[in-house]
Amino acid sequence: MILELRPDLSSDRAAELERLTGGRLVVFHGRSLLICGTAEGGRQLPEGEDIGEVIDFPEDWPLASLAVRPEKTVIEVGEDLRIGDGSTLLIAGPCAAESEGQLRASAAFLVSRGIRLFRAGLFKPRTSAYSFPGLEFDGLELLASIRRDYDLKLITEVYDTSHFDAVEEIADVIQVGSKAMFNLALLRRCGRSPRPILLKRFFSASTREWLQAADVILSAGNPNVILGERGIRTFENRSRFVFDLNSAVYIRENSHLPLLLDPSHAIGRASGVRALARAAAAFGADAIMVEVHPEVDQARCDRAQALDHRAFAALQDEVGDVCQAVGRKLV
Ligand code: PEP
Ligand code: MN
């Protein structure tokens, strides 16, 4: 249960209501919402003239829900890119930033193909202690210069709060990677950031847990969250993960947040990425993100799924055709 407090309610009365209900007062898109009676069990709702609208939502991710916000959230990236406005944004770049040469070759090619939002990770949350962890702090200046020189917007990832401030300085969109989805301190820090956040789903998280994580960010003050489906773990072992379009449908039916689909991590091999990207386009994803590398056999991270430039061009053409067929513009 959520109480939307009247805008002219005094802060004293709001605090009193918070105490009375055991709820939590949050400001969301300029509205004061007292969230109570969710999973933790709010106390009795007070009655009175000064209580505004009561919104009934039985789950514990109200801010991400259409019940609280029936209109779709459109996220602005810079002056002229929008995610969630009915178009499909294609995001591409290497998994990891590796060297100046790699980044320049990648950026030059992708710009020539009209890509506007470039991905490349500096802080890679590798599972193995012996895998390339990314350039980390040493790559910040380089990535910032690529962004500037090629007039690209940049999405790059964080996996904990120790490097958040540094990444926030250079990124247009901050990605919380799959394995960081349950990092509460990180989610709260995202909530205090002025940057849009791409919240990737942990590969073993339920849709509900993913939406709860989104609410941590939203309730901490950042309304600009993009949900990223990137494949989940099941008993199936012929692909890296399983692309969960069922959850994509659920998100579309129940949340106002834009949805990004990532076929690269889902299938985990380059030969399958195009087929899944076409499916993502047919679904009507707000954004599709794929990994591309100028020299695939040299890639230091996620090599098996990296598209070479020819395969990327083919994917872009096909995704453009599918978008057109379903009445969406590919950006
Ligand atoms: C990535 O985008 O390179 C990445 C590590 O993704 P995920 O967190 O979804 O595995
Ligand atoms: Mn990757």
Side-chain angles (χ1 to χ4, degrees), residues 53-69:
E53 196 193 338
V54 178
I55 305 166
D56 188 15
F57 186 68
E59 305 246 19
D60 48 9
W61 42 274
L63 300 185
S65 80
L66 283 172
V68 164
R69 183 173 160 83

Side-chain angles (χ1 to χ4, degrees), residues 27-182:
V27 177
F28 185 57
H29 287 278
R31 297 152 70 193
S32 295
L33 302 174
L34 181 57
I35 299 173
C36 42
T38 57
E40 308 282 307
R43 295 182 209 122
Q44 214 40 40
L45 293 184
E47 287 178 27
E49 291 287 293
D50 58 358
I51 309 289
E53 196 193 338
V54 178
I55 305 166
D56 188 15
F57 186 68
E59 305 246 19
D60 48 9
W61 42 274
L63 300 185
S65 80
L66 283 172
V68 164
R69 183 173 160 83
E71 65 271 44
K72 292 280 175 192
T73 291
V74 180
I75 293 178
E76 299 191 356
V77 182
E79 264 122 59
D80 53 358
L81 279 188
R82 274 172 194 63
I83 303 179
D85 67 350
S87 62
T88 296
L89 179 67
L90 185 58
I91 303 166
C95 179
E98 296 166 8
S99 67
E100 179 166 4
Q102 174 237 20
L103 288 172
R104 289 199 181 277
S106 197
F109 167 70
L110 292 170
V111 166
S112 80
R113 297 288 311 185
I115 293 298
R116 319 278 301 282
L117 184 50
F118 181 69
R119 61 149 292 143
L122 290 173
F123 295 89
K124 301 301 302 180
R126 305 307 297 271
T127 303
S128 165
Y130 312 104
S131 298
F132 175 58
L135 298 176
E136 303 184 318
F137 289 96
D138 291 344
L140 285 163
E141 195 37 59
L142 173 62
L143 204 48
S145 72
I146 298 295
R147 175 185 179 280
R148 262 193 321 270
D149 294 353
Y150 294 89
D151 195 21
L152 281 160
K153 297 293 180 218
L154 175 67
I155 175 165
T156 188
E157 68 188 282
V158 290
Y159 61 80
D160 72 32
T161 52
S162 64
H163 46 260
F164 195 100
D165 292 4
V167 169
E168 190 179 47
E169 292 255 314
I170 65 157
D172 298 284
V173 180
I174 294 175
Q175 169 176 326
V176 173
S178 181
K179 285 179 262 181
M181 193 205 88
F182 279 116

